[in-house]
Amino acid sequence: MPEQPLGPEPAGLPARQFAWDRTLSRDSFGNPVAPLYDRLLFLDVRPGLTAASAATLEAALRTLERTFAWGPDGLLFTVGWGPHYFKDVLKTASPVPEPRVLSTFESPELDRYDVCIHLACDDASRLAAVDAALLRGRPLAGATGSLRITGPLRWRETRTGFVGAGLPARHQGVAGIPAGRPVPVDSPLFMGFKSGLLKNQASEDSVAIADGPFAGGTTMHVSYMHLNLEFWYDRNTERQRVQEMYAAQLTPAGVPKITTESPNHADKLEQAIIDYGVVGHSQTAARARRHGKPIILRRDFNTVNGGHAGLHFVSLQRSIEDFVATRTAMNAAHAEFQNPVITNTSNNGINSYMAVLRRANYIVPSRRQRSFPLLSGRGRHLP
C-alpha cells in the first residue's frame, strides 16, 4: 500500500490524545456531559510491518482532525496499543500488563488485540461514517483522500454504544432487561442512576503518565459486560437498588440531592456489613481512592450489541494497577466473613448484575506517539 501524505496537523490540539474534558458541556451542577455515542474498533497489525505503516495510520487520523472539530460536536478519539503489539510484533517489553481475571466469579475472555481505537461524538451516523472510511475506504464527507487504515492493520471487531438521558430507555427492548420498560425515561444508563459525576472521576492530569517514553499518555482498560437486570428491576425495591448502587445508609429520598459526588459512606462500610447486611457499589469502590480522590477516569457506555443489554467499561488511569485496585475493592471479599448474608454476588454492590465477557489493557500514548509507538524508523516518516 503506498504511503499516504500526512498533511498538516490542525493547530491547537492538546498533546494528550485523551484530553477530552475541556471540550465537554456541563450540566447544571458542573458535571461533564459525556458524548452520546461511542464506538470501539479493535485491530491487529498485519505481517510485513514497515516504518512507513505509521504514516498511513497517522495520515488518516490527521484527516479526521482536519475534517471534524475536536469535541463531541465534531469527533473525539484515542488510539491504544495492547501488550501483544509490543511483545509479539515489536519483540520488546510491553508498558502495560496482559489482562487477567479479577474476581472468583468471572471468567472473561482475555483479548489479545494489538490496537483499540475509541471514537466518540454526539452523532451516531458520523461514527458509522468514520468507521466505514477507516475500515472499508469509503469516502467521508468533507475529507480529502482515502482514510483506509486496513493496509497495515486488520480489523477484528467493532463494539458500539451510547450514554445519555433517554437513550437507555429507547433501547431497553433487549435481553437482560425485563418486560414492562422499567428503565426510567430520563436515565443516562440502563441501571437507572447517574454516572460520571465530577468528584467521582479522576482528573486527566492525575491519570497522565509523568515521565518515560509514554509521558503525556495514559493506560486504558476495556471490559465488555452483559447486564442481567431482571432481578434488579423485578425483585428489588427502589430502596434496595439505592443501597446496592450507592451505600446501605442512603435512602431513595437522598438520590435527588446528589449533585457532583455519589454519597458513598465509605467510613461506614463495617456498619453496612454488620448492621444492614448489604454494601453499596460506591461504598466499596471508594476504598480505592488516593488522598481521598478517585484514581480512574471512566468513559464507559451502555450497549445492545448482540441483542443483549450490556456495558462497555472504558477507564483511564496512570497505571493498570490503579484499575485493578479499584476493581478489587468492588469485590468486598472480606464482607462474607463478617456477615453470611453477603457473598461475592449477593447483597454486594452491583456484582451480581454484571457478567464480564472480555477484558483488555492498552497504553494510550501522547498524540505525537499514537501511530505505531516505538516502531523502529517511524521518525523518518512522522516529522
Side-chain angles (χ1 to χ4, degrees):
M1 186 173 182
E3 183 175 331
Q4 298 293 317
L6 284 175
E9 291 182 284
L13 291 174
R16 298 171 182 169
Q17 55 164 327
F18 66 93
W20 294 11
D21 284 359
R22 289 187 180 180
T23 73
L24 305 181
S25 60
R26 304 278 162 163
D27 67 13
S28 59
F29 301 112
N31 298 304
V33 178
L36 296 177
Y37 299 99
D38 294 79
R39 211 167 256 244
L40 298 170
L41 311 182
F42 298 91
L43 307 100
D44 284 338
V45 176
R46 291 186 186 274
L49 177 65
T50 69
S53 300
T56 299
L57 176 58
E58 185 64 20
L61 301 179
R62 290 190 188 184
T63 300
L64 291 178
E65 291 166 340
R66 291 193 297 271
T67 305
F68 303 110
W70 187 250
D73 292 340
L75 183 68
L76 293 164
F77 60 89
T78 58
V79 184
W81 298 85
H84 182 262
Y85 165 71
F86 294 96
K87 294 195 294 187
D88 293 358
V89 177
L90 298 187
K91 310 298 183 184
T92 192
S94 172
V96 289
E98 296 280 358
R100 57 188 175 91
V101 174
L102 295 174
S103 69
T104 59
F105 51 89
E106 67 173 48
S107 56
E109 183 174 345
L110 303 178
D111 288 339
R112 288 174 53 83
Y113 299 134
D114 293 333
V115 188
C116 175
I117 301 176
H118 182 186
L119 304 163
C121 74
D122 288 341
D123 186 338
S125 63
R126 178 172 299 153
L127 294 187
V130 170
D131 181 310
L134 292 175
L135 303 182
R136 294 182 291 282
R138 292 186 181 175
L140 182 66
T144 301
S146 174
L147 279 78
R148 188 167 186 165
I149 62 173
T150 49
L153 297 170
R154 178 168 64 100
W155 172 78
R156 297 294 306 279
E157 182 185 359
T158 294
R159 302 174 194 167
T160 64
F162 47 84
V163 58
L167 290 173
R170 297 211 298 266
H171 289 84
Q172 64 182 303
V174 293
I177 297 179
R181 303 188 66 80
V183 179
V185 295
D186 60 347
S187 174
L189 292 167
F190 277 135
M191 297 191 80
F193 294 102
K194 298 177 183 178
S195 183
L197 299 178
L198 184 65
K199 294 181 181 178
N200 284 352
Q201 293 274 55
S203 68
E204 288 178 339
D205 284 345
S206 71
V207 302
I209 297 170
D211 50 34
F214 294 100
T218 190
T219 72
M220 177 171 69
H221 179 83
V222 180
S223 301
Y224 176 20
M225 309 172 203
H226 271 173
L227 298 177
N228 301 301
L229 302 182
E230 292 84 0
F231 193 100
W232 178 254
Y233 281 115
D234 283 351
R235 299 277 303 273
N236 281 351
T237 64
E238 183 183 8
R239 172 68 185 271
Q240 288 171 315
R241 289 196 294 273
V242 168
Q243 287 182 316
E244 291 187 341
M245 178 59 70
Y246 295 115
Q249 292 84 357
L250 186 67
T251 67
V255 174
K257 301 175 184 178
I258 296 173
T259 56
T260 59
E261 184 171 22
S262 300
N264 57 63
H265 296 283
D267 59 331
K268 299 178 181 178
L269 178 60
E270 301 308 309
Q271 179 199 40
I273 294 170
I274 296 168
D275 295 344
Y276 290 86
V278 61
V279 294
H281 167 65
S282 296
Q283 195 165 36
T284 55
R287 294 183 302 150
R289 295 189 172 193
R290 184 178 295 127
H291 306 302
K293 296 182 179 180
I295 54 178
I296 68 171
L297 173 57
R298 301 190 324 275
R299 288 183 173 161
D300 48 298
F301 51 95
N302 278 150
T303 185
V304 291
N305 289 160
H308 199 292
L311 178 72
H312 292 307
F313 188 89
V314 179
S315 72
L316 306 180
Q317 50 282 311
R318 184 169 293 177
S319 165
I320 290 295
E321 287 308 309
D322 289 338
F323 167 77
V324 172
T326 302
R327 181 61 189 86
T328 301
M330 285 172 52
N331 292 334
H334 71 292
E336 62 183 309
F337 300 108
Q338 296 175 269
N339 191 330
V341 304
I342 301 174
T343 70
N344 286 332
T345 55
S346 296
N347 301 313
N348 192 340
I350 56 177
N351 291 338
S352 64
Y353 309 103
M354 297 182 174
V356 183
L357 305 180
R358 313 286 286 270
R359 286 201 184 280
N361 296 329
Y362 300 92
I363 189 84
V364 178
S366 66
R367 189 179 300 276
R368 190 160 291 280
Q369 296 288 330
R370 66 188 173 184
S371 295
F372 292 91
L374 304 188
L375 176 62
S376 178
R378 69 184 289 280
R380 297 195 302 271
H381 301 267
L382 299 178

